[in-house]
Amino acid sequence: MSRIKTVLGFAMNLALGIALGVAVPLATAAQAQISYPNRPIRIIVPYPAGGIVDIVARAVTEQVGRDWKQTVVIEARPGGNSNIGTASVARSEPDGYTWLVTGPAALVNPTLYKDAGWDALKDLKCVGLAVWNQSVALVHPSMPASTIKEFVEIARKKPGELNFGNPGTGSSIDLSAQKLFQAANIKLTNVGYKGQPQALIDLMTNLMHFEIVSLELALPHIRAGSVKPLAVMTDKRVADLPDVPTIAEAGFPEATYVPWYGIYVQAGTSDAIVAKINEAINKALQNPEVRRQLSVANIPGKPMPLADLAALMKADHEKLTKVIATSGMALQ
């Protein structure tokens, strides 16, 4: 009888130990979610400091930090056409303390590069839409074209003879241009640059014939008459260029593409933490000072729920990888 009691007691203690062993980690994980965030948030920007993505990251995430009363550390990690910084977030701990702020490269680089280091839809989760990027199609003032259709006619008569200043393979600018070239059935010679500023300088000196440039960068030169705008690559006209038609109004609705900058975390991050981050980002995007900063840079923000962000991410991934597949962009 005593032996039976001993065995039963051992079994009960073992069961209790197993139960406690399971319960403690669960309780710890739940507690971590409740107390989140309780330490600094690291923001990875996979581009050089001072660029448009850096502006977005600082305007939005620093406001989140103020609202949370928590430190936000912004770290520029350029290199590999944004692959290095993006891969570091895709491989980070799924604890909500490492964020990525980036543009379409997060969706398309795994298609462009064999060793990008992540899968867009499996390794990253979009937790907030930062801003929509506005851009404008430009030519040199000497170009005998005042509309996109007139430029297309010239390009069709000179296949491969006109130069396109490309600030980066797979960039939002490159993708916008490729969509237009496919829709218009024209071929331009691609000339690669490390960023928009140098490409724009060469357009102003008539070394390049066509470029798509971020609105904020282009506006001073448009006003100075150094470049000529043909169309804005947006779904509606922009206030600073009210007389310049959208690309759809100019006759090429298929080329409409408005790139966006998203905020991402590692895909395994818990739903509770993801929801908290999304709520904080949406709140920051409605802050008057954040709205002012983004407005000055001509990059309007838009709060979005998680379901809409997931749908947008999936739709753009499908659309943009198709553009890459049909444009001849080479895998590196």
Side-chain angles (χ1 to χ4, degrees):
M1 186 69 175
S2 60
R3 185 179 179 184
I4 294 174
K5 287 182 178 180
T6 301
V7 173
L8 287 173
F10 174 78
M12 290 177 67
N13 288 334
L14 179 62
L16 180 60
I18 292 172
L20 289 175
V22 173
V24 169
L26 289 176
T28 302
Q31 184 62 36
Q33 293 177 19
I34 293 171
S35 63
Y36 176 88
N38 56 21
R39 56 188 170 89
I41 309 292
R42 189 164 64 116
I43 312 297
I44 303 298
V45 177
Y47 297 98
I52 196 75
V53 183
D54 187 56
I55 292 172
V56 170
R58 293 182 186 280
V60 179
T61 65
E62 288 181 353
Q63 182 58 47
V64 171
R66 287 189 288 270
D67 290 339
W68 277 351
K69 296 181 174 57
Q70 187 56 258
T71 302
V72 168
V73 180
I74 297 174
E75 179 183 338
R77 295 196 63 183
N81 196 17
S82 81
N83 286 347
I84 293 175
T86 303
S88 72
V89 177
R91 298 166 183 165
S92 67
E93 288 296 319
D95 54 13
Y97 287 97
T98 304
W99 301 4
L100 170 73
V101 183
T102 190
L107 305 180
V108 303
N109 277 14
T111 302
L112 279 170
Y113 296 85
K114 295 178 181 178
D115 57 350
W118 76 93
D119 182 296
L121 300 182
K122 292 181 180 179
D123 298 328
L124 296 171
K125 183 177 292 185
C126 189
V127 292
L129 178 69
V131 296
W132 301 98
N133 186 26
Q134 300 183 112
S135 58
V136 55
L138 303 173
V139 293
H140 188 269
S142 64
M143 176 69 66
S146 298
T147 67
I148 282 287
K149 282 189 173 181
E150 290 175 355
F151 174 78
V152 165
E153 288 303 314
I154 294 172
R156 283 175 178 166
K157 294 175 183 177
K158 301 179 178 182
E161 294 184 31
L162 301 182
N163 296 329
F164 160 57
N166 185 352
T169 301
S171 66
S172 61
I173 297 299
D174 186 21
L175 292 166
S176 293
Q178 297 302 331
K179 282 181 69 66
L180 173 61
F181 299 163
Q182 290 179 23
N185 192 28
I186 57 175
K187 180 177 177 57
L188 276 68
T189 295
N190 183 89
V191 180
Y193 289 86
K194 293 183 178 180
Q196 296 184 58
Q198 186 58 52
L200 182 57
I201 290 172
D202 284 358
L203 179 68
M204 291 189 288
T205 56
N206 210 18
L207 292 175
M208 293 297 105
H209 300 109
F210 178 83
E211 288 179 14
I212 295 176
V213 178
S214 295
L215 186 62
E216 178 65 12
L217 181 60
L219 276 175
H221 305 289
I222 293 173
R223 290 165 177 159
S226 304
V227 292
K228 180 165 53 177
L230 300 184
V232 289
M233 310 299 289
T234 56
D235 52 1
K236 59 182 179 181
R237 296 198 184 198
V238 300
D240 287 299
L241 298 172
D243 298 327
V244 178
T246 66
I247 191 67
E249 291 173 333
F252 298 96
E254 313 96 310
T256 301
Y257 169 55
V258 186
W260 51 278
Y261 298 118
I263 299 177
Y264 299 82
V265 295
Q266 211 282 335
T269 306
S270 73
D271 291 343
I273 289 178
V274 165
K276 192 168 186 177
I277 296 173
N278 176 248
E279 180 182 6
I281 292 171
N282 287 343
K283 179 182 177 182
L285 285 169
Q286 297 176 74
N287 179 279
E289 177 56 21
V290 172
R291 291 171 65 88
R292 185 195 68 78
Q293 291 180 53
L294 297 179
S295 175
V296 167
N298 281 292
I299 40 177
K302 181 181 179 182
M304 293 182 71
L306 288 166
D308 290 355
L309 288 168
L312 178 63
M313 185 178 174
K314 182 180 179 182
D316 261 28
H317 179 265
E318 292 176 356
K319 177 169 55 180
L320 297 179
T321 51
K322 183 178 179 180
V323 171
I324 291 170
T326 56
S327 67
M329 294 185 196
L331 285 167
Q332 302 298 314

